Amino acid sequence: MWAPRECWQLRGSEPGQKRGPRRGRGARVANRGEAGARLSAQRTVLDSNTGGARSLPRCPLRVRPASCAPRMWSSLNEWLWQDRLWLPPNNSWAELEDRDGLVYAHPQDLLAALPLALVLVAMRFTFERLVGLPLSRWLGVRDQARRLVKPNATLEKHFLVKGWRPKEPQMAVLAAQCGLTLRQTQRWFRRRRNQERPCLTKKFCEASWRFVFYLCSFFGGLSILYHESWLWKPAMCWENYPKQPLKPALYCWYLLELSFYISLLIRLPFDIRRKDFKEQVAHHLVTITLITFSYSANLLRIGSLVLLLHDSADYVLEACKMFNYAHQQQVCNSLFIVFSLVFFYTRLVLFPTQILYTTYYESIASSGPFFGYYFFNSLLLLLQLLHVFWSYLILRMIHSFVKKGQMEKDIRSDVEELDSSEGEAAQEHPQLKNGTAPTDGPRSRAAVWLANGHMSAM
């Protein structure tokens, strides 16, 4: 790819040399041919020893990226932030510049979310150790004792490289290689998997941090929006759009929410890995993109409604998990019912009938559609698909538990498997009942469904 004409020059040209007057196309072609012939003659020299010809390397073009980078960045920036892409017709970014005491939202304001996200990570680390851990002990959360495995290099290598759950033929081969019985090899892998499972205390601390944030965020956002007209009538979100001044309290809340979801994304590889890990990553990315875009396009009114609607159910879910880890099932059951009702009403009723309706129809009532309109609604639709996915899992779980009469053992936890000691004891020493051994009944299935139904920061 050729560099721009003003950004390069042939090696050997004088830096201070000035260009002559522009000439016609025919003269320029002739001069280029003469210069090319002279350059070819200079590159080919006679080797006196061998009598052959030796070609010298071509003179490369000398690029000056320092002078090109600002121009390229400026061109890219102008192309990306075209008025016709992100703003309704007959509006421009120049109209959203701060003036006459009015302050508008600007994309660069969100750069403060990056250091604030690191601050939240540090705050979470401190909170979990100074508040979450003592609270877990006070509520009676206890980690079950786990049996350690005997060191075995062959089995450990297979466990780390090829997988945690080898199939029975692979298990038989490994047993033969290690001089163990098949049952001993199965027990080794079961105990090794148990060591990798997070303890209840760690789960409780994570849930307590999210509970505190969602609780403060919901009631803080509610206090900010309570006196705003668009909270009670979403159509007011488009009044005089996009010329809507930025309020300091709304900016602080927006910045805090963005920082929190960035901190969740940073901590996600180090947190407890659940079966809906991919859905969590997709949700966090969509949420961060929505917050960033809605702020940059001055869609703070409708964006604030989306944030408040989601926080209304999240803190109930986290409280439900905390009581589940503390084995207070009656409180946990009650909170789960409340969470299910709030979740279904906010995500499957309010969100499509109020949020999606106003963004699809009322937002372009006074202007035509534009690219930002389609982009924003596509993100909201993707978020709604995640709502439907999680709602299906909740409904499936509730139906199964009501049908099996195991409501007290159902959900509310993000446990992926039965914990080590109980699961291992059940498999090694099954208790007989009416002459039959217990099978994988509703309790085991409940743990798996609950894991799939876990929704973090939705």
Side-chain angles (χ1 to χ4, degrees):
M1 179 177 181
W2 294 99
R5 183 179 301 277
E6 64 270 19
C7 298
W8 59 267
Q9 62 182 8
L10 289 177
R11 180 178 298 172
S13 62
E14 299 179 2
Q17 184 178 359
K18 297 183 179 179
R19 294 181 178 270
R22 297 179 62 89
R23 289 167 291 182
R25 184 172 182 272
R28 289 200 301 270
V29 171
N31 289 340
R32 289 175 186 172
E34 296 175 1
R38 288 196 301 268
L39 189 59
S40 299
Q42 293 175 2
R43 279 200 297 264
T44 305
V45 297
L46 182 64
D47 191 342
S48 58
N49 296 330
T50 60
R54 179 168 56 90
S55 296
L56 296 177
R58 292 179 177 271
C59 297
L61 296 178
R62 184 164 55 190
V63 181
R64 299 177 184 174
S67 60
C68 297
R71 293 171 180 257
M72 295 174 62
W73 174 254
S74 178
S75 301
L76 178 63
N77 192 45
E78 291 178 0
W79 174 84
L80 181 63
W81 295 104
Q82 296 181 63
D83 299 340
R84 62 184 182 85
L85 292 180
W86 309 111
L87 296 177
N90 303 322
N91 289 275
S92 64
W93 294 113
E95 299 174 352
L96 300 181
E97 294 295 332
D98 301 341
R99 64 181 182 276
D100 301 331
L102 298 179
V103 178
Y104 296 93
H106 302 290
Q108 59 268 24
D109 299 341
L110 296 179
L111 293 177
L114 298 178
L116 185 56
L118 299 179
V119 172
L120 288 178
V121 172
M123 290 179 60
R124 172 180 172 176
F125 180 84
T126 305
F127 176 88
E128 290 182 354
R129 279 150 184 79
L130 299 183
V131 179
L133 189 58
L135 182 60
S136 66
R137 293 172 180 172
W138 183 70
L139 291 176
V141 179
R142 296 290 183 269
D143 297 329
Q144 296 180 351
R146 295 175 178 177
R147 302 179 184 180
L148 299 178
V149 297
K150 296 180 180 180
N152 189 305
T154 302
L155 299 181
E156 183 70 20
K157 180 179 179 180
H158 188 282
F159 182 86
L160 297 176
V161 176
K162 297 184 178 180
W164 292 13
R165 296 180 179 275
K167 297 182 179 180
E168 189 169 347
Q170 295 176 323
M171 197 84 72
V173 174
L174 292 173
Q177 293 177 352
C178 300
L180 301 174
T181 64
L182 180 61
R183 185 176 182 82
Q184 289 174 335
T185 307
Q186 292 173 343
R187 184 184 300 115
W188 189 96
F189 275 95
R190 184 166 59 251
R191 292 179 179 177
R192 185 64 181 86
R193 287 194 298 269
N194 293 335
Q195 293 181 11
E196 296 295 325
R197 294 175 186 156
C199 58
L200 287 180
T201 302
K202 178 177 175 60
K203 297 177 183 178
F204 182 91
C205 292
E206 288 187 8
S208 62
W209 164 252
R210 290 193 295 264
F211 166 76
V212 170
F213 179 86
Y214 289 137
L215 183 68
C216 297
S217 177
F218 173 71
F219 286 101
L222 186 62
S223 64
I224 295 173
L225 300 181
Y226 184 79
H227 299 288
E228 301 294 346
S229 59
W230 66 82
L231 175 63
W232 313 105
K233 190 177 180 181
M236 298 299 293
C237 293
W238 316 109
E239 183 183 20
N240 199 31
Y241 175 77
K243 302 170 186 177
Q244 299 171 347
L246 175 65
K247 297 186 177 182
L250 188 58
Y251 166 71
C252 293
W253 184 44
Y254 235 74
L255 188 65
L256 184 63
E257 288 276 1
L258 177 60
S259 303
F260 178 74
Y261 282 104
I262 294 177
S263 69
L264 287 182
L265 202 60
I266 294 174
R267 286 284 307 175
L268 201 57
F270 309 100
D271 286 341
I272 300 170
R273 188 181 181 91
R274 301 177 175 90
K275 292 189 176 181
D276 62 344
F277 177 81
K278 294 181 180 179
E279 289 78 12
Q280 289 186 55
V281 173
H283 174 270
H284 295 340
L285 291 176
V286 170
T287 304
I288 292 173
T289 306
L290 269 173
I291 295 176
T292 304
F293 171 74
S294 62
Y295 185 90
S296 303
N298 208 22
L299 291 165
L300 279 86
R301 293 187 178 183
I302 191 66
S304 62
L305 296 184
V306 175
L307 290 176
L308 186 68
L309 183 143
H310 282 71
D311 289 343
S312 61
D314 288 339
Y315 73 91
V316 182
L317 174 64
E318 301 304 331
C320 186
K321 294 179 190 176
M322 293 170 61
F323 284 102
N324 181 61
Y325 299 145
H327 302 291
Q328 299 185 21
Q329 297 301 327
Q330 292 183 353
V331 180
C332 184
N333 291 335
S334 302
L335 288 175
F336 177 65
I337 295 174
V338 173
F339 161 73
S340 301
L341 294 176
V342 174
F343 183 87
F344 292 144
Y345 180 67
T346 55
R347 312 299 173 88
L348 300 183
V349 179
L350 286 182
F351 191 83
T353 61
Q354 299 296 323
I355 304 299
L356 291 181
Y357 178 83
T358 189
T359 56
Y360 269 85
Y361 299 105
E362 297 175 341
S363 62
I364 56 174
S366 58
S367 62
F370 53 101
F371 176 78
Y373 162 83
Y374 296 108
F375 180 74
F376 187 62
N377 282 286
S378 298
L379 293 177
L380 291 178
L381 183 60
L382 181 58
L383 195 60
Q384 180 61 20
L385 292 178
L386 292 174
H387 296 165
V388 174
F389 169 76
W390 279 314
S391 300
Y392 164 74
L393 294 177
I394 295 176
L395 286 173
R396 178 184 173 186
M397 183 174 53
I398 293 177
H399 175 266
S400 176
F401 289 136
V402 171
K403 184 178 179 180
K404 300 294 183 179
Q406 296 288 334
M407 190 62 184
E408 74 279 6
K409 297 295 183 183
D410 63 354
I411 121 202
R412 301 107 14 185
S413 166
D414 46 8
V415 180
E416 298 182 6
E417 286 186 83
L418 289 177
D419 200 52
S420 57
S421 299
E422 294 181 0
E424 185 176 324
Q427 295 185 28
E428 292 183 357
H429 305 288
Q431 297 180 357
L432 299 181
K433 184 177 180 180
N434 297 330
T436 59
T439 59
D440 185 20
R443 182 174 181 177
S444 300
R445 289 192 295 270
V448 176
W449 286 326
L450 173 58
N452 289 334
H454 166 69
M455 289 153 290
S456 174
M458 294 178 296

